[in-house]
Amino acid sequence: MTKWVHRFGQGKADGAAAMKDLLGGKGANLAEMANLGLPVPPGFTITTQVCTYFYAHGKTYPKELEAQVDAALAHIGELAGHSFGDATWPLLVSVRSGARASMPGMMDTVLNLGLNDATVGALARRAGNERFAYDSYRRFIEMYSTVALGLEHHTFEDALERFKESKGYALDTELKADDWRVIVGKYKAIVEQGAGRPFPQDPRQQLWGAIGAVFSSWMNHRAIVYRRLHDIPESWGTAVNVQAMVFGNMDETSATGVAFTRNPSSGARELFGEFLANAQGEDVVAGIRTPQAITEAARRADSQKPSMETSMPAIFEEFRGFAELLERHYRDMQDMEFTVERGKLWMLQTRTGKRTARAALKIAVDMANEGCITREEAIIRVDPASLEQLLHPTIDPSAAPAILASGLPASPGAAAGEIVFDPDEAEKLASDGRKLILVRVETSPEDVGGMHAAEGILTTRGGMTSHAAVVARGMGKPCVTGVAAIRVDYDDQSFSVAGRRFAKGDTITIDGSAGQVIAGVVKMQRPELIGEFAVLMEWADTTRRMRVRANAETPADARAARRFGAQGIGLARTEHMFFEGERIVAVREMILADDEAGRRAALSKLMPMQRADFKELFEIMGGLPVTIRLLDPPLHEFLPHSDAEIASVARAMGADPAKLRRRARGLAEFNPMLGFRGVRLAVAYPEIVDMQARAIFEAAIEAGLATGQPAAIEIMAPLVFSRAELDLVKARIVATAAAVENETGVAPSYQIGTMIELPRAALRAGEIAQTAEFLSFGTNDLTQTTLGVSRDDAGTFLGAYTEKGILPADPFVTIDQEGVGELVSLAVERARAARPQIKLGVCGEHGGDPASIAFFEKVGLDYVSCSPFRVPIARLAAAQAALGKTAESTA
Amino acid sequence: MTKWVHRFGQGKADGAAAMKDLLGGKGANLAEMANLGLPVPPGFTITTQVCTYFYAHGKTYPKELEAQVDAALAHIGELAGHSFGDATWPLLVSVRSGARASMPGMMDTVLNLGLNDATVGALARRAGNERFAYDSYRRFIEMYSTVALGLEHHTFEDALERFKESKGYALDTELKADDWRVIVGKYKAIVEQGAGRPFPQDPRQQLWGAIGAVFSSWMNHRAIVYRRLHDIPESWGTAVNVQAMVFGNMDETSATGVAFTRNPSSGARELFGEFLANAQGEDVVAGIRTPQAITEAARRADSQKPSMETSMPAIFEEFRGFAELLERHYRDMQDMEFTVERGKLWMLQTRTGKRTARAALKIAVDMANEGCITREEAIIRVDPASLEQLLHPTIDPSAAPAILASGLPASPGAAAGEIVFDPDEAEKLASDGRKLILVRVETSPEDVGGMHAAEGILTTRGGMTSHAAVVARGMGKPCVTGVAAIRVDYDDQSFSVAGRRFAKGDTITIDGSAGQVIAGVVKMQRPELIGEFAVLMEWADTTRRMRVRANAETPADARAARRFGAQGIGLARTEHMFFEGERIVAVREMILADDEAGRRAALSKLMPMQRADFKELFEIMGGLPVTIRLLDPPLHEFLPHSDAEIASVARAMGADPAKLRRRARGLAEFNPMLGFRGVRLAVAYPEIVDMQARAIFEAAIEAGLATGQPAAIEIMAPLVFSRAELDLVKARIVATAAAVENETGVAPSYQIGTMIELPRAALRAGEIAQTAEFLSFGTNDLTQTTLGVSRDDAGTFLGAYTEKGILPADPFVTIDQEGVGELVSLAVERARAARPQIKLGVCGEHGGDPASIAFFEKVGLDYVSCSPFRVPIARLAAAQAALGKTAESTA
């Protein structure tokens, strides 16, 4: 018989941490904690298999389930010493979701289940606290009715507000036991009216209603969106955890809290958390009351209210011990939930803690230095893509901006943008390319889309573990929470602070590292890559096999490339040097010239500019290899369009504007991607190659003399599909090198290679390698041609392709291994067979994508080249690839 | 020691027919004829190796050559009984080129070599004909001086014309011996002035001058052009043949002629040729005098002058015997040159005769029926591409046009166009797309370009073997020669006939099969494919393995496809059905609709039209398979551009024109080839698939009922690159089929397949074949993406690519085997591994190209599909491919 239900509690459990697939993360860790002997309220987990069954069988359950649940419920009763539905001492339970991957707040939860008109009195008597019992009952009615009966949350809130007004109450805490009893009555009336039947009094009926609601919430809209954003398969399903309730809100010796074994923002090795006395866990997470610090150290930095270390010292010590045990046991930073019920500590949850990229880096390096994990594990622990967050701008200290207000530094980095209040509007505006700061009193799971669309998030309520803070850290978005000084007026679409009013559309800057809000756009700076970052990079560098270069042609990019540790330039796009100022006119002259003489005249204007550009590049790279790609013009971008542009070129050429316009029109193409570009230009107009080769060689010689380091030149032909094209180009380059040597007495040292960016080039790589000394895969164009998809035009349909699962990912972000990848590996094989020592690299944007880098390691490329700011990502990803592993999700 | 010189004559030779590579075609056949015992004037061949040496060594000769030539010359003297330079009976020789492939008229020839001021007298005495001797001498001076000394031909002609005027002579025949002696003096003076030195008197100096001139002519401009047009490698070089002269112009018992063993125009089995009494061979070929028929039968059809059969009966019988011997020996129709010198027949040349496509077909079929060759050889003998000529239009008999003038039916087929006189102008006008008839008094090798550019050729002089006739037949161009009634006035750019004047630009029609000229454009008709054509096609059909289908969607094309023997439709492009009349408005409505409802509304307008189209197609094809490709729109072609177009669509949709314009602009693409087309449209808007599938199934059922033959439906998705896309489409089609079956009670029988036209599709063919029941290679798009070349834009650079030898041929005409071909064979392999019985075909334009068809046979495709008029070509090419051979050049 299938075991659909796994029990845990009192020092033992059916499950364990390794059974996440079956029990979900929460259930597996509850079982693990129970096995570790930690105080876990007894309970049981209904497996993810039941979820699968549920959806495969029209939302019905396996027939054995009911008996297994009943038995497990009875077992809880035995362990707790009182049973479900017991009229004198009723066992109450929580019913929570728990998927294999954490999906915080995305699915439904029901607490205090088992209360009814009879048991509420029993609870009051047993707890000696009537107010607590009726408050718990009204919470249960509200939660159960919205989750299981589909009623609107606000109906209950409105009723409560009206009642408070009628009594002149401002805060919930002012309500007494009798008030809550009245509210319970009102709530029950709301249910009867809204659901068409009375609120269910049978605890077993309540339980099955809640279980069904939780399973159903796997397919609610926000869960579906979250799964798509986080690549979580629908087929995994969720488990349901039913667990004895413990109450942090029973009295002042009760409390509830969440904590991390290390600081999830900075990564510092310090117990980090928040708690609320006399409260239920939802109060902390929802951010409705600003919680207190757990440790005294944290309190001092912060505020007035006592820390848990001070107010509950024994409990605190016990909890600190559990935290250390859990971190040692799981060998990673833990995120824990706990409740203290009348002086007894209960552990409700532990899981690997989400953290910022900065914290992930520090924790990995620290734990390796502590001997807790190996350096290889440290390398694997950090998601390379997350490093991009560390390359986020920070406020330039020299800017010394006037601080408008302060809050909590909930997610590091600085961001500036227009104020927007509505998350849906944020999504719309962002799709128009607007930079936004989402400003909310607090955020909820419905707001995730708008948070994703914004540059940064500001909330006026909530702490470091509030929804806004947790989600922003996960997204790597700067976030400031709990900025109490700001008063938001949603109706007016504005907020006021320090006597000033900021409306929608006004610009502000937030500093998520310092927790500050600033008016206007503040000057920012790139971070220095030191400390743990430098250490991890060093470990990565000694671990990886592939070299990492940068795609760069401007001096600024080349300098950034060196700063980020690039081992050379893998792609300098000479056409990018052709757009500036007077150059574009000379380029247009060249394109529109009637004959070779006209082209040579235009080229002779470009030659000194190219030479100066190359010289600076070689000097900056000081002897590191520099791969220069011969002109690969997007003809349609270079052509003059406006009358003014045509007139300007005509003047420079002394030509007839009308004739030029005709020629420009004649050069327009239907499919520029597949047109007269790349090496085709060199075949038709080899004098361009002569000019560029001469500029390169002369620049290299000059740079070599200037720096004392001989330049390492690699000249690359674009868009070849045959060896013959490369042979033609090579002959011109070799002849030019000989001429330069003849003139200067210096023999430039250089290699000649080619891009592999057309399917035919990949197929003929064996032949091409007989001429080429290196090959660089241009996977952008190779993707366009292999899939027949124009990157510029893919917007109309590529979304549907990833949504419908036709493609696993955007093939322009992560290499399409099955198509483009096969051509790459086939080309590698053939090129190596023809020339075993050939140098092989990639210079498409895939060169900076971790998943693609893992593939390039597998096929044995020698290097990847990517944009300068992705070089650190590539260094780490290459190390992980060399270890044969990718970063585990830190979720 | 290398044998640079091969001798022949008097019943034996050093060489043989098989040694064409070394001796050239002419030299090898002279040797073969000598070995056969035919009367061949003795001579020798300087090998093509000498030509190679000549160009590799700065136009010098191997050192052994001179001695070998001297010895061979002495040997000729021995066989002829008199020697070179002999002052009493001088041996005169001809010096002629002779390449491996025939290049008629492209290189230089020198005749009568050995004459000088001394030997001319000896020749006169020996021949007893002073006029003949001096005429021969002046011919030699003129020929030698233009060929070896680089003087202009017209200088000599002008001098002759002036002399004739001064004497009051109209014709050359009026000149007497003394007149020619004067001319010789004038010619020598021209040479001395033009060349700066006297005309060489030393025969050995003359000989080496002529040999050098012939080798040099291998690289003259027209030879280079001819080689490029006919794919003859420059590396082959030419041989030089030195041969004792025999004279057809010695007296009235002398003659010269050319003949074919069968009629080269019709292919009829009859000796076919022309001769001129008392003339040299060049007089026949040049077409200056209209020659007489060889056979009496031919004369009767023609004219007044006696045939050779009548005037020289013994010689004729001897020649007929030689002709039969040669045809039997070579097992093919022969083209022979002969000379009768004072009653003795000499054979000067034999070679495989050029022939029209019609003749090639008839000769191949006849010779197979005669048992001379096998049916397989007959199949291989006919160049499939030449069949296109037989599909040329002919004059519709019902047109009964008024004949303007008659001439010789020199090359069959009818053509109409504007009159043009200048060949260069013809080339220019043709490049603007103008249809032209080139009208000339006679043509010469310089005119080949203009002949190629014209639709047809008309000459007022010359016979069936004149330059115009031979070249036109080779080109498959209609040609009428010898239209004596037409008088051309080049200066006025007009001609007059029967009192009417026709100027440049006026339109005429020529009928090359009947030899007629007609004013204006006459109604033409497609030929019936009967007789030998049908026989050869039947043999081809029983020989070939691959099936042949047609690409067709209109009823006219589908009918043509059946008439030409297509075994089904391999590609019906549904978007082609969308352009007409009101349809385009509905199509635009569909494209521009905001939502599915809007698209469905537009589709419901298109549905009945599609169904009617498909029904007619199925009815015409009567049970043969019909592959219908789902909509693959070139969006940019369908989009409305003009305000009127937008207004019309807006009216139909009841939509705002401004909004429509915006949406149309939003759908414009940078690279439409790689854009939102093919199956991508079906993925985004599956309702289009629903409509088309329903139209197909309902049409098939209706057609099946109407014809009694169930339609064989194949539905094909375009532009897939993954199995998932096809799965989506297939699900819609299967569902629609089920719905139609449900409604009609008839289950349509159909297959679902896909195009393979993207590199990724070829790579994933194994997976795709798990869903697809057939694959059709779309090699047009596959070529575009594999090479990264847009067919629409390739004009700017593809020419340079074939000229520089980077590509062996236009990859859109003949499949690029090394690139595209590898993807095709890889896909075939993977698809067959996944689904051994999968049906594989090609529907790109390569499906009608013989060289590509040979490749498709090799990789094992099941069928090719091409445009209806190429179906016969494909049937024959497929048969040749199955035999593993391609047609031998009939050159």
Side-chain angles (χ1 to χ4, degrees), chain B residues 707-722:
Chain B
T707 63
Q709 288 163 308
I713 310 168
E714 295 174 351
I715 302 179
M716 181 158 77
L719 213 73
V720 303
F721 60 57
S722 68

Side-chain angles (χ1 to χ4, degrees), chain A residues 680-695:
Chain A
R680 294 162 195 176
L681 203 76
V683 169
Y685 307 142
E687 53 276 11
I688 300 175
V689 178
D690 298 348
M691 183 281 276
Q692 292 202 296
R694 177 169 284 274

